[in-house]
Amino acid sequence: MIFFKFSLYQLKRHICIKRSTLSIVVGVFFYLNCIQVAANTQKIDSLLDQLNSYEAEDTVKVDLLNAVGFEYWIVDANESINFGKKALRLSRLLGYANGLAKANRIIGVAYWAQGNQNKALEHLNISHKVYKKIQDKTGLANTRLNIGMVYADLKEYEKALHNYEQAINEFTALELKSRIATTFTKIGTILIAQHKDSEALKYLTDALQMHTANDFIYGISEAHNRLGMLYLNKNEIEQAYYHIKKSMTLGNEVSDIDGLTNNLIIYGKILRLDNNLEEAAIELNKGLELAKENHLKKYELFAYEELKELKKQQYKPEEALMFYDKYITLKDSLFNTEKAKQIAYLEFKNALERKDKELEVLKEKEKTDNLIKLLLVLGVTIISIAGYMIYAIARQRARKSKELSTKSQELLESVYALTQKDLENSELKRQELKQQLDFKNKELTSYALNFIKKNEVVQQLHSTIQDIKKSSNVEKDKLIADLNKIIRKNLSIDRDWEDFSRFFEDAHQGFYSKLKSKHEDLSTNDLKICSLTRLNLNIKETASILGISPESVKTARYRLRKKLGLDPRKEILTYLVHLEEE
């Protein structure tokens, strides 16, 4: 940045004393431009030599014609159209779809360069359809980009951006970074027109980086030009100066007349804003001459506007008025032309839509006609087959109707008998299950009573032993030992509890598992109390079975109630019955 500020400073300082040097620089500039034009012309001449020496009317000649038309794009749009049409005619004769698609694209872009947007859209849409038919993804993406460029010139920015975004997606899938960069530049141009400077700067910076990486001179020049325009709109003169100078230098290398004309006028504007008025006049007049020579009306208008502002700064009101008059006259002419183009575009758009609708109607009609024919043939066949089938079915139906009625009656009677039998079996099974459950409950009750009786016997024996222990005879000691053996044998209730639990689980299946899943903190003793309570045993009977006092049973039941989270008014037995039924 410092370097360019210094350059501008030096330009201001020496402009008066180096007029002769400036003339030499201008001469060298045009000399270099002529060299580049000659180089580009040499490439076209080489292709023309190949074309003239090739006599066969085949696809190779189509490709050569398209190649020449492509090279004329930025040099001479008329010649581009001329060679494109030749390629188009030969492609139609040969039925060469790829040549047809490319020729339409070349013609479409050339018409766009001339400002004939309707013709451009007509040929580009045809190109897009052919590329789609032959499944040429690169051609599809390029045509999509070109269609976006036409819509951008028509100021149909929404349509233009839609086409640009689709083109970017297609170029990304094909990994064509150079084409993505070109599309970024086009999007940036629209964003500048919409005064969205920050978004435009991002797209243009990315485009410049990508083109630089691919060394695509035309793309680099175009990106610098748009960045120059952007910074000029933001009144950042040094940045604008840098980008426009870069664009001018690179544009000369590819003989970009359109870009060169635009750059000269923008460069003149930069010099005018920096008060280098005499040099600004030179650059603006060069740009004006190029615009007139190449019929670039929009740049001619731009030049008149800048020359008017320049003359105002030079305090030359008469000359300023002269350029203003030319500006107004040309602007009115361009406005009328632009309006005519927009009207023509709308007419073209409506005609295109009508044509598409007509084609759709014709296609639908053709489909309908074919469908009707097919349906008629199928109808006759079906009617014939159906007639025979109806006749055969009618005969069979009459014969089988009676059989079916009889069989249906028999079937209903059979179903009724089976239903009755199933009901009887269900009732018998229910009664059998009830009897089994009652039997198991009786067994459990009996088992519980045995517990009671056994523990009563054991308690009596234990009491007797205590009495015997009070005497000191040897016989009594032996008797005590025997009695203790009986006690130990009869007090081993763990195994009895295992048997009891097994019988209880058979009678009340899932009782323990439901309790444990709902109340994980229940102990083994809690489960014993729950099972005895479920059998509806009272406190005394429970105490006798467990070998504890009734008070201990009451305490155990109180703790159990808390673990079960029961309301004091709710019975434990009621809760357990309800839990078992869930």
Side-chain angles (χ1 to χ4, degrees), residues 137 140-146 160-188 191 203 206-207 210:
K137 294 181 180 179
L140 272 172
N142 281 320
T143 311
R144 182 76 72 182
L145 170 61
N146 299 144
L161 290 172
H162 173 71
N163 280 279
Y164 287 155
E165 287 169 4
Q166 286 190 317
I168 287 172
N169 292 335
E170 291 164 357
F171 287 137
T172 302
L174 295 166
E175 297 183 355
L176 297 175
K177 293 183 179 179
S178 177
R179 303 305 292 156
I180 295 171
T182 299
T183 312
F184 279 176
T185 303
K186 303 302 180 187
I187 293 174
L191 294 172
Y203 275 103
D206 289 345
M210 294 168 76

Side-chain angles (χ1 to χ4, degrees), residues 107-151:
I107 296 168
V109 174
Y111 274 128
W112 165 77
Q114 288 184 334
N116 193 337
Q117 313 303 348
N118 292 346
K119 285 284 187 182
L121 276 178
E122 182 181 341
H123 285 279
L124 288 172
N125 282 328
I126 293 171
S127 176
H128 188 266
K129 287 178 182 177
V130 178
Y131 275 130
K132 188 174 183 179
K133 186 176 180 181
I134 63 177
Q135 297 183 346
D136 185 336
K137 294 181 180 179
T138 303
L140 272 172
N142 281 320
T143 311
R144 182 76 72 182
L145 170 61
N146 299 144
I147 291 171
M149 290 158 52
V150 177
Y151 281 124

Side-chain angles (χ1 to χ4, degrees), residues 20 90 125 161 163 168 170 199 289 328 377-378 406 418 420 475 497 539:
S20 59
L90 186 54
N125 282 328
L161 290 172
N163 280 279
I168 287 172
E170 291 164 357
E199 294 179 52
E289 289 304 315
I328 291 298
V377 174
L378 288 173
T406 305
L418 287 171
Q420 289 296 111
E475 290 181 1
W497 264 112
I539 292 175

Side-chain angles (χ1 to χ4, degrees), residues 5 229 536:
K5 288 182 178 178
M229 293 168 61
N536 201 20

Side-chain angles (χ1 to χ4, degrees), residues 543-575:
S544 178
I545 289 171
L546 295 177
I548 58 177
S549 66
E551 290 300 321
S552 297
V553 173
K554 288 181 181 179
T555 303
R557 282 196 176 188
Y558 174 75
R559 291 173 181 170
L560 177 61
R561 181 184 293 276
K562 289 183 68 177
K563 288 183 179 181
L564 296 177
L566 297 179
D567 187 90
R569 292 171 294 179
K570 190 170 183 179
E571 293 292 335
I572 297 176
L573 176 60
T574 305
Y575 173 75

Side-chain angles (χ1 to χ4, degrees), residues 525-544:
N525 193 53
D526 293 332
L527 292 174
K528 288 179 181 180
I529 291 174
C530 286
S531 59
L532 294 173
T533 304
R534 179 63 185 85
L535 291 176
N536 201 20
L537 299 181
N538 58 33
I539 292 175
K540 185 178 179 182
E541 290 169 338
T542 301
S544 178

Side-chain angles (χ1 to χ4, degrees), residues 44-56 61 64-65 68 83 86:
I44 293 173
D45 290 341
S46 174
L47 287 169
L48 287 171
D49 288 340
Q50 292 180 52
L51 182 61
N52 292 330
S53 62
Y54 194 84
E55 296 180 356
K61 186 169 184 178
L64 283 170
L65 287 166
V68 175
F83 282 98
K86 288 179 181 179

Side-chain angles (χ1 to χ4, degrees), residues 14 23 105 127 129 136 165 170 190 230 260 281 295 345 394 396 419 428 455 463 477 503 543 556 571:
H14 297 294
S23 300
R105 181 176 171 236
S127 176
K129 287 178 182 177
D136 185 336
E165 287 169 4
E170 291 164 357
I190 290 178
L230 174 64
L260 176 60
H295 307 289
Y345 165 68
Q396 289 181 0
T419 304
L428 288 172
N455 285 341
S463 176
D477 290 337
F503 282 120
E571 293 292 335

